[in-house]
Amino acid sequence: MRHDTLTFANEAVHPWAPRALRATLALGFAAMALAGCGGGSGSAEPGQPPATSTLAAPENFENTGALSFAWSATPGATRYELFADMDGPGPQTEVQMGEAQGLSFYSTTQRQFGYLNLARIPDFINATFRLRACNSDGCGAFTAAKALDLPSRISYEFSSGRAPLKSSSGNFDPISQDGLTLVLRGSNGSTSTLLVFTRTAVGQPWQQQAEIPTNAYRIALSADGNTLAASEELKVQIYQRSNGSWSRQTTISSTQAPTACAQPCQLEPDRLALSANGNLLAVSGRFRVNGSTTALSSVFTYARTGTSWTAQNNFAPEGDIVGTALALSGDGSTLALNSGAITRSVNITPPLVHIYAQNGVDGWTEQARLPVGIVFFVDIAASVFSAMTLSHDGNTLAVEARNSPNTLPPEYHITAADLTCPRAGTGNAAPVSHIALFARSGAAWQRQAAIAREAAPSWALANDGNALFYGELFNRRNGAWTCP
């Protein structure tokens, strides 16, 4: 079975060179092409590639994201060799990575980079990697082995459990809160699939538990890891795990829209969010009024009772852009969605985050409208959209936002004085982008902090709402966010 390369996020958030730069550097660094060697895993094993040069092991060797690597240049080295042990401490033989896997090197000043752009990440899920420097005399000592460690690429481990990383430039594949269930995209021949991997404990090897054929373009996994939602064209597939086996529980079709939605109402699914136990699904979609050919945006909710799913409610605040940012609290009590957004060329409407709270079994009440700089644009050059998330109890909201004082009303403006934990040396500069943190007291919401770290590509909010990872760890104590 062959698996496709997994994309964690847009190329712009990886520390890889842009395509044009890679092509240019490839010409200048052709001398760093791979040389063939055999190998086994472990320095004392028979068949271990011998050190035939006095070159030291490359320093600062690290996995920088998916199948990309970085290290400091070794003086005297003219090329580098990368080896992979596909099952880590298991019995398989260590092998050298080469052109068949699309391994390429490039360099910027004293920093070296490599990436396996043709390799399939699911094939490397348990792999460890080692690197050595070579010259005309041979090759030197190996670095210590580095594990791929997928969970750290797509989530952050807080004291309250793992929380998914968010990014404005792409989507990360989901992992359960305990870090023991992981879903990756793949293929089996010409068929697109979702691959479910599990492990018995953190640090133990991953085992493939299921392969689900689907053309899903967005997926969501419940925090307990037992429910998987996958959006396809005009439908959402729901999969459920029971006693270690996965099966399709239901298909939510385009015609299964809440009765409160203005008819004709048709689900055209996009973004998805699941409660922690998987019993509540929020999905952004579209509907049409009075036979109009113009589709308006909405967010629908569906509830599960036992094994049955029913359409629950829809939310259609005014605005041309609704639900491009979507969050559901773990306990299913609170829903956040946007209306309006800052686009590449024009501000459609001043963007708001609408907060809805459960009122009874299936009733919802709009609780707040929060002014914050939601961004959404997709074109051939780039895709940027605001991500947001709610704590498990719904009392804390984190929004990745943009500061746009020239196009938005004053209540949206973030100045240097508004920042919590400003980075030293920034002076009076207002941030371009930031994480806005809102807190609920009773039914009232207010912004509690704004944190700017321009170089941080991804972020995560702890499930208990008391910590934020954004390049570094920020904690909340007694209602106030403290600096690292």
Side-chain angles (χ1 to χ4, degrees), residues 24 43 63 289 360:
T24 302
S43 59
N63 234 165
V289 178

Side-chain angles (χ1 to χ4, degrees), residues 120-367:
R120 291 159 289 278
I121 285 182
D123 294 338
F124 290 82
I125 193 168
N126 292 314
T128 58
F129 298 89
R130 299 192 304 160
L131 185 76
R132 64 180 184 174
C134 305
N135 58 18
S136 59
D137 295 330
C139 298
F142 276 104
T143 63
K146 294 286 185 182
L148 185 61
D149 191 13
L150 288 179
S152 67
R153 309 294 171 216
I154 61 177
S155 63
Y156 187 84
E157 188 171 11
F158 296 96
S159 59
S160 58
R162 285 198 174 273
L165 285 168
K166 305 286 185 178
S167 171
S168 64
S169 299
N171 296 300
F172 296 88
D173 282 283
I175 188 170
S176 60
Q177 186 173 329
D178 61 11
L180 304 183
T181 302
L182 172 67
V183 182
L184 304 180
R185 306 168 198 271
S187 69
N188 187 351
S190 60
T191 304
S192 297
T193 64
L194 295 177
L195 304 170
V196 182
F197 292 89
T198 61
R199 56 184 178 178
T200 56
V202 174
Q204 294 300 306
W206 292 99
Q207 301 291 332
Q208 185 174 318
Q209 188 177 63
E211 181 178 15
I212 302 171
T214 174
N215 291 316
Y217 51 90
R218 293 194 189 274
I219 55 178
L221 181 71
S222 60
D224 64 10
N226 291 323
T227 304
L228 176 65
S231 61
E232 299 182 7
E233 187 177 4
L234 300 181
K235 61 185 175 182
V236 177
Q237 305 280 18
I238 305 292
Y239 302 91
Q240 177 70 18
R241 178 170 59 186
S242 178
N243 298 320
S245 297
W246 286 85
S247 61
R248 185 170 61 197
Q249 188 174 66
T250 193
T251 298
I252 298 174
S253 69
S254 61
T255 58
Q256 291 174 261
T259 56
C261 184
Q263 300 299 315
C265 188
Q266 179 171 292
L267 173 65
E268 297 177 11
D270 186 18
R271 283 163 173 76
L272 304 170
L274 279 167
S275 61
N277 61 9
N279 287 337
L280 187 65
L281 168 71
V283 52
S284 57
R286 311 280 279 174
F287 70 98
R288 292 174 171 81
V289 178
N290 298 327
S292 171
T293 58
T294 301
L296 304 177
S297 301
S298 183
V299 171
F300 304 136
T301 57
Y302 298 84
R304 177 171 60 187
T305 303
T307 59
S308 299
W309 285 85
T310 57
Q312 187 194 63
N313 214 326
N314 78 293
F315 308 88
E318 293 182 1
D320 296 327
I321 299 177
V322 173
T324 60
L326 181 66
L328 182 65
S329 64
D331 63 6
S333 67
T334 309
L335 175 67
L337 59 96
N338 72 299
S339 68
I342 303 168
T343 67
R344 178 182 287 277
S345 58
V346 64
N347 182 54
I348 300 298
T349 56
L352 295 169
V353 172
H354 299 254
I355 306 290
Y356 299 89
Q358 281 269 22
N359 180 18
V361 177
D362 58 0
W364 292 83
T365 301
E366 186 175 20
Q367 196 170 66

Side-chain angles (χ1 to χ4, degrees), residues 166 325-327 336 353 355 370 372 374 386-391 395-401 434-439 445 449 459-462 465 467-468 481:
K166 305 286 185 178
L326 181 66
V353 172
I355 306 290
L370 308 175
V372 61
I374 297 288
S386 290
M388 62 185 182
T389 189
L390 283 160
S391 59
N395 289 330
T396 305
L397 171 69
V399 183
E400 185 173 4
H434 62 284
I435 303 296
L437 292 157
F438 296 88
W445 286 82
W459 58 276
L461 179 71
L468 173 76
W481 288 88

